Amino acid sequence: MPEATVERLAVYLRVLTDMLAEGVPTVSSDVLAAAAGVNAAKLRKDLSHIGSSGVRGVGYDVSRLTAQVETVLGLTRSNAVALVGVGNLGHALAGYGGFAARGFGVTALFDVDPTLVGTTIAGVEVLDVAEIPRICAERGVTIGVVATPAAAAQQVCDALVGAGVQSILNFAPAVLSVPGGVEVRKVDLAVEMQILAFHVSRRHDRVASDATGKVYG
Amino acid sequence: MPEATVERLAVYLRVLTDMLAEGVPTVSSDVLAAAAGVNAAKLRKDLSHIGSSGVRGVGYDVSRLTAQVETVLGLTRSNAVALVGVGNLGHALAGYGGFAARGFGVTALFDVDPTLVGTTIAGVEVLDVAEIPRICAERGVTIGVVATPAAAAQQVCDALVGAGVQSILNFAPAVLSVPGGVEVRKVDLAVEMQILAFHVSRRHDRVASDATGKVYG
């Protein structure tokens, strides 16, 4: 299945979960596509990928489609998450309700800072990073979240991979090297800001250019 | 300039800034490409886009290239950031050192919760969302960060756009509708987790299939 389809399935699931909570029984591909921000033809193709087709004039059964998408995404299997680095951002992520609500319980927290080790965040005790191998094995951790400073990220990633964790979500502003078969997803908040800044800047230039009647470029 | 080039320029800048801080005078395209996690041919093409070419056998001048990328990304112009929703995640983002360090000062904070309005996070007072139009105009806000629950996100986005903010970073699990010319970037942490879960699940199926000698598909 193409990676882009997987990403869109996750977005459909978010919309479907909301509809389910609101008691919506069926949904047309047009409505579901609009709510997910994709075009309807692409959505129908994605859903045919997972063997789901709507009923003409009725649409998709929300409850059934939700269950199908969850199965395909592997969400019927529980995922245990370990988070490393409970500084500013990591601390917030550890307590972020959005993870637990979608079935991703943070079951282990690690840090190097002795003033943080032993403290408890959202009911989970922060342990020393030296404990990564033992704890990840004991708690069956499947997903590791790296929220350390850039300089520590590779070493932490290596420890997680060494402990058998094969899916990493990386918030550190660093490129991680991993063996084949390990999946890394990256969230770089400053890069997102810089991309937005580029658009701000381009608009200013356009306005300036319109105002003077000159064309730059 | 293609959006993908803009994204890579932001990544090159992160690497260049680190090199500059470490006093590295010049860098080859191979080394810079490896540190940024792209191939060297693509990097050379990206940099030629912005009119920068290395010197054969010497590479790129780190300080000069950093300044060029910053100029292209519009980072020489200051960006004022307004953040709406200072709950769990928003509170962390408001204090996230990574934004300020890259020149994105959070200059305004908003929430609807009367118990949060009037409090101060990282030196910035939380104001009522009703103040968005006045404050964004006064403080010259160019980038808005939406960190509200999904149900409130569109209304907050409309208020920001109405106040002249044309670049939005959306952390809420909702698709935002915006007028043409407004740029929205989206960070959905639960979606990232679900994509990783899919890979975890696929690996389990593969292992199970190997063990039984059956091929599913």
Side-chain angles (χ1 to χ4, degrees), chain B residues 143-154:
Chain B
I143 296 178
V145 178
V146 178
T148 65
Q154 183 64 55

Side-chain angles (χ1 to χ4, degrees), chain A residues 14 88 92 95 167 185 188 192, chain B residues 14 88 92 95 185 188 192:
Chain A
R14 189 185 66 213
N88 202 329
S167 289
R185 303 273 310 176
D188 190 323
E192 294 296 332
Chain B
R14 189 186 66 214
N88 204 327
R185 303 275 309 174
D188 190 322
E192 294 295 331

Side-chain angles (χ1 to χ4, degrees), chain B residues 84-87 90 110-111 129 145-154 156-157 170-173:
Chain B
V84 189
V86 294
F110 301 98
D111 208 290
V129 289
V145 178
V146 178
T148 65
Q154 183 64 55
V156 160
C157 173
N170 179 28
F171 285 89

Side-chain angles (χ1 to χ4, degrees), chain A residues 1 3 6-7 10-11 13-14 35-37 72-75 77 79 81 88-89 92-93 95-99 102 104 142-143 145 166-169 171 173-175 181 183 185-205, chain B residues 1 3 6-7 10-11 13-14 35-37 72-75 77 79 81 88-89 92-93 95-99 102 104 142-143 145 166-169 171 173-175 181 183 185-205:
Chain A
M1 197 185 302
E3 188 76 10
V6 176
E7 295 186 18
V11 175
L13 180 59
R14 189 185 66 213
V72 169
L73 289 179
L75 301 177
R77 184 174 276 131
N79 280 283
V81 176
N88 202 329
L89 185 64
L93 292 172
Y96 176 50
F99 287 152
R102 318 279 182 96
F104 298 96
T142 49
I143 297 179
V145 178
Q166 294 195 282
S167 289
I168 308 274
L169 183 57
F171 285 90
V175 176
E183 185 75 22
R185 303 273 310 176
K186 184 155 182 32
V187 179
D188 190 323
L189 301 177
V191 163
E192 294 296 332
M193 283 294 199
Q194 288 169 348
I195 293 165
L196 288 171
F198 169 74
H199 292 283
V200 170
S201 165
R202 207 170 49 170
R203 272 193 303 272
H204 278 259
D205 292 347
Chain B
M1 196 185 302
E3 188 74 10
V6 176
E7 294 185 18
V11 175
L13 180 59
R14 189 186 66 214
V72 169
L73 289 180
L75 302 177
R77 184 174 278 132
N79 279 283
V81 175
N88 204 327
L89 185 64
L93 292 172
Y96 177 50
F99 287 150
R102 317 280 182 95
F104 297 96
T142 48
I143 296 178
V145 178
Q166 295 196 283
S167 289
I168 308 274
L169 184 56
F171 285 89
V175 176
E183 187 74 20
R185 303 275 309 174
K186 183 152 183 36
V187 179
D188 190 322
L189 302 177
V191 164
E192 294 295 331
M193 283 294 197
Q194 289 170 347
I195 293 165
L196 288 171
F198 168 75
H199 292 283
V200 170
S201 165
R202 209 171 47 171
R203 273 192 302 269
H204 279 256
D205 292 346

